[in-house]
Amino acid sequence: MEDDDNFGEKNGFFKTYHISVLRKIRNGDLAALKACCNDEERLVFVHSLPYVHEIPLMSSAMAKSLPNGKSAIDAQKKRTEGNEFFKKKNYERAVRLYSEAISKAPSIAKDTEEPQLAMAFANRSAALFHLDAYARALVDIDQALASGYPDELRYKLIERQAKCLMALGRPTDQIAATCESAIKCVNDSRLDLVKRQQFERDIKQLISESAVPNQMIPAVNIKSIKDKERKHLPDITAGRNIEHPSFSSKIRIEEDAISGRYGVADSPIRVGDVIAVDEPYASVMNPEKFATHCHHCYRPLDLGELLPCPNCTNVNFCSVTCRSEAMAGYHAIECPLLSYIEAAGISITCYLSLRMIAIHPPSFFMDVKPLIDKPELQKGVALSEQTKKYIKTCQLVTHDHIRNKESFFHVTLMADFLLKCLKVGGYFGTIEPTEFNFTEPLSDQEKWIGSLLLRHLQLLQFNAHEVSELRMDRPGCMDGAKTFFLGAGVYPTVALLNHSCEPGVIRCFVGDVMIVRAIKSFQRGEMVNENYGPIFTQKRRADRQRSLKDRYWFDCRCLPCTEDWPLIGEMTDDTLRFRCRDPVCRKPLVVAADTMTPFIACPSCKKSNNILKSLQNLQDTEGSFVRGSELMDQGNFTGALKCCLETMAKLDDILCAPYRDYIQCQEKARRCMLALGNIIYEPMQSERR
C-alpha cells in the first residue's frame, strides 16, 4: 500500500503529542531503546517513561467523555422531515431522512420518550413498501418490532408485514399466520369498535387473497430495489497450493539472502490465470466510507439498507448478520474508540494494527505466544486456520534490523498508545473509568499484546495492501471511471510476492477478498511479481527507485529498472521486440519495423527465426483487440475481458516487453477486472444537479 511511515497524521492530536514527548526525552533514552532485544522489551521500556502518559483526552473519564452521537431529539427531527416528504409521495427522499433518524436514534428510549428507533424503522418500512422494496421493508418491520414499537400501533405494522410477504409470493400459511397476529394486535389498539371490525374484515380479505399468489400486487408490478447480488469468487487456476492454499498450485515459494521469500512459477502461468484468491487476516475500512458502506462486508449501502450500530453513529451495516458478527467481535472493542482514534489522526495502518488484535480475545494471542518464531514447535500441532494465518502474518518482513532509533521510538510510542486504547475499550476486561491508571506497570498479558501491536505496525508498513473499488457514473459506463481507496488489509499470502515495475498481475477485490490474475505469462522457475506502486510506463527509473527506497527500504533491480525501459509516451513503432521462437530461449529479437529480412538470428541462442509468421500473428490480434474495445463500450466487461486476455496471450507469445499495444490492452483488462469486483455507481456532481 502506498503510504509513508508517518503513523500520526497532520490533522490529529497524536502528531502534536509525539512532538511534545520528543521534547521531553532524556539523554540516553533513544540509545536504551535501540539496545532492547525484542519488541516486548521496547514496548515495556517506552511505557516506563513517565512523560509518555501525558496524552490529551486519555484520562479516567475518557470512556464517558466521548459523545456517541445518538440523540432522540435529532432522530425525531429527521423523522419529522421524512414524514413531510412521505406526504408528498417523495418516498426516496423520505427513506434517506428516515435512515438518518435511524442512525441518530438511541437504541433504548427513556420512559418519557417515544421509541425513536422503532418509530423510524416503522416509517422507513412504509416508504420502502411504496417503493416496492418489500424485502427491505420486512427487515425494517422486524427491527421496529424488536426495538419496542408501541403495542397500540403494532396492528398496522404487522398488516404491512403480511402485505410484503404476499407481494414476495411467500407461502399462504405464513401470510395467514401473520394476518392472524395482526388481528390479535388490533385488540391493543386505540381504534373504536367500528374501525376495529373494519380492520378485521380487511385482514380476512387479505388472507383469502393470499391463496392466489401476488393477487394484491401483481408480479409484473414488482420493481423492488433488489439486494445487490454478492459477486462470486472465481476458482483458482489449477487448484490450490497445498502449503499456501490462497495461491494456485502453479506458484511455489522460494527464499534467498537477497530477495527474501518470493513466488515463482512452478509450472507455466498463462495470461488470465487466477493465481490467488486471498482473504485478509484482517482489514479495516477507510473512515471516509463509514457512512456509505457496510462496516463489516464493504458492500455499498443501497437505499433503505442502512442498519446502524446500536451504540454509536460512526458505522453502519447492510444486514442484521453483518451487524451481529461485528458487534460480537471487533466492533464491541472499537465502538467507544472510533471518535477518539479519528481525533488522534492516526493512519489507517495504525487502525489496522489495532483491528488485528480486536478480532480475537487476549487468550488467542496468549495461546500462540509459544509458537511464533518457533516453526519447530508448530509441526505436529493441530492449529486452527486462524492461528495458522496469524502466525503466517507475523512472519512477514518488519526490517527491524535496519530501523533507526528515532523510527523505533515513534512506532513504539504508537504501539503504547494503541495498547491504552484497547484497555479503554474493554479489551482486557470491563473496568470502571476511575480505575484507569496508565502509569502502572503492564501485566504479562498487556506486555505481549503491546509487543504484537508494535510488530504489526512494523510489518504493515511494508506489507499492507489497499482495498479498492471502482466508481462509475452508471452501470456499463466506463467513461470517467476511477478507483478509490476503500480500506486496507493484510494479506499474508499475496504479501509474499516481490515487486517489479512491470506489473505481472492485476489485483481486484470482492468485498475485502483479493483476487489476483496474471497479466503476462511466466515460464517455470520465473519469478512472479506484483507491483507496489510505481510503474515503468508512468514514472522514470530514478523516481521509481527513490520512491521504493523511501517507502519499502529496498533497491529495485527489476528488468525495467535494469534496462531502463521508456515511458509509454516515449515508445515508438520504429522497432519491434519479437520473441525468439525457441521455447527455452524466448529472448528478445530487436527488429526494425521496415526490415525486409524474414530471417533473424537470435543474439542469445543464435538460432534463426522466421519473423513472417510472427508478423502475420501480430496482425491477427487487431481483430480481438477491437472487439474487446467494442464490448467494453457496450458495458459487457466479462466479454471484453475475455477478448483482452486472448489478445494479450497472443501478443505475449509474439513480442517481448516493453510494447505499447500490450500495455494498452493490459489497461483495458485491468479496468474490466475492476468492474467485475467492488463497484459503486455515483454520477458526477453536474449530473446530480
Side-chain angles (χ1 to χ4, degrees), residues 158-221:
I158 295 178
E159 179 193 28
R160 186 179 305 138
Q161 187 178 42
K163 289 181 178 180
C164 287
L165 293 171
M166 185 173 172
L168 292 169
R170 299 291 173 82
T172 302
D173 56 349
Q174 184 182 3
I175 299 170
T178 305
C179 289
E180 293 293 342
S181 178
I183 292 174
K184 291 179 182 178
C185 287
V186 78
N187 294 326
D188 296 323
S189 72
R190 297 176 182 174
L191 296 178
D192 58 36
L193 181 60
V194 174
K195 291 182 179 179
R196 186 178 301 178
Q197 290 174 340
Q198 181 60 49
F199 178 80
E200 291 177 356
R201 285 193 294 271
D202 291 343
I203 287 292
K204 289 176 181 178
Q205 179 63 28
L206 193 61
I207 294 174
S208 63
E209 289 176 352
S210 68
V212 181
N214 290 325
Q215 180 173 312
M216 182 193 71
I217 304 176
V220 294
N221 291 334

Side-chain angles (χ1 to χ4, degrees), residues 17 48 61 68 108 130 137 179 214 269 294 309 358 367 391 399 427 503 549 564 586 611 614 625:
Y17 159 67
S48 70
N68 63 14
I108 300 176
H130 283 284
C179 289
N214 290 325
I269 295 174
C294 175
C309 166
D367 289 343
I391 292 174
H399 289 315
Y427 181 75
K549 184 70 172 179
D564 197 11
R586 293 175 59 80
I611 65 170
S614 295
F625 181 81

